[in-house]
Amino acid sequence: MTQHRSWGLTALDLLLPTPCAACGGARTGNAHSSGSLTLCAPCLAALPHTLACLDPTPPLLRAAFWWEEYDSPLGAALRRGKYRPDHSTLRTLSLGLGQAARGRLPPVDWVIAVPQTPQAWLKRGFSPAHVLASGVGESLGCPVHRVLHRGWGQAQAGRSAPERQANVQGAFSARVAVPDKRILLVDDTVTSGATASACAQVLLNAGANHVVLLAATRAA
Ligand SMILES: [Zn+2]
């Protein structure tokens, strides 16, 4: 069904100007002529070139960084990439995120995406956080590994901070040991940091030296 829909969208994109994923404005050219760029030139130019620190740092993390607020044109583009779904937009954002992260993080050896629930896998057929992690790994020159497994459970969206913490308790496990690895954990959105802390617990138990979080957006 996703394939069928994406064929339909591709055909439409060839006929109609594709709106920018961030601001919704018209882009110059179309999907055929502009390749994977799904943001208009001003929105591409406006991608932040730096990161912000999440304060306070969630428990068990060495540091936590985010790129842009969830309620922003960039956040809108991320949601389009995640829910439409739209690989091209996520790919474009991943490279921008990687560029912003270069030289601004503690040293890391491996990049790992925060895994989504199996229900989300069934719905989307791909992991938005893994697409982001891949672009970040490429930009940083770090290998990306699928280390974490997430069990069946509920998504974090719409929950209070204590509910988030309880919801991810025991949700993650490590497929392999990560002896002395300095890990960069990548997610699309950070809210309380409970998900990242639960992942860090598992990675530290699996031997990680430290865990740093990089989130594309920060939600209130
Ligand atoms: Zn735009």
Side-chain angles (χ1 to χ4, degrees):
M1 175 169 173
T2 305
Q3 188 62 27
H4 178 258
R5 182 165 174 261
S6 67
W7 276 110
L9 287 171
T10 303
L12 266 181
D13 285 349
L14 290 172
L15 295 171
L16 304 168
T18 314
C20 167
C23 69
R27 289 188 304 122
T28 307
N30 56 36
H32 185 66
S33 63
S34 58
S36 65
L37 296 181
T38 56
L39 303 185
C40 70
C43 284
L44 268 179
L47 291 180
H49 295 291
T50 190
L51 302 175
C53 268
L54 189 65
D55 186 28
T57 304
L60 304 176
L61 293 168
R62 167 65 62 91
F65 301 90
W66 53 276
W67 193 31
E68 180 61 290
E69 297 285 0
Y70 185 78
D71 289 322
S72 66
L74 191 157
L78 187 79
R79 290 191 288 281
R80 172 185 154 158
K82 185 171 175 176
Y83 296 113
R84 193 180 185 195
D86 175 355
H87 273 90
S88 297
T89 296
L90 287 172
R91 171 80 183 152
T92 302
L93 293 176
S94 75
L95 296 175
L97 177 59
Q99 288 300 318
R102 282 181 76 166
R104 295 188 174 85
L105 299 173
V108 294
D109 304 305
W110 282 11
V111 178
I112 296 175
V114 171
Q116 60 189 349
T117 60
Q119 296 98 306
W121 262 113
L122 289 175
K123 201 162 83 179
R124 293 192 190 111
F126 77 106
S127 158
H130 188 77
V131 176
L132 291 174
S134 298
V136 168
E138 231 173 90
S139 299
L140 298 180
C142 272
V144 183
H145 293 283
R146 292 183 188 266
V147 170
L148 291 169
H149 168 79
R150 186 171 191 163
W152 290 87
Q154 299 302 312
Q156 291 285 69
R159 294 173 188 275
S160 68
E163 285 170 347
R164 284 169 175 273
Q165 205 164 359
N167 189 45
V168 289
Q169 205 71 43
F172 300 97
S173 55
R175 292 192 170 99
V176 294
V178 289
D180 212 32
K181 295 295 179 200
R182 300 167 298 183
I183 306 286
L184 180 64
L185 194 60
V186 175
D187 206 354
D188 50 83
T189 304
V190 62
T191 305
S192 63
T195 303
S197 288
C199 290
Q201 176 74 76
V202 167
L203 292 167
L204 292 169
N205 288 346
N209 179 297
H210 66 236
V211 181
V212 174
L213 172 69
L214 175 61
T217 62
R218 177 189 68 166

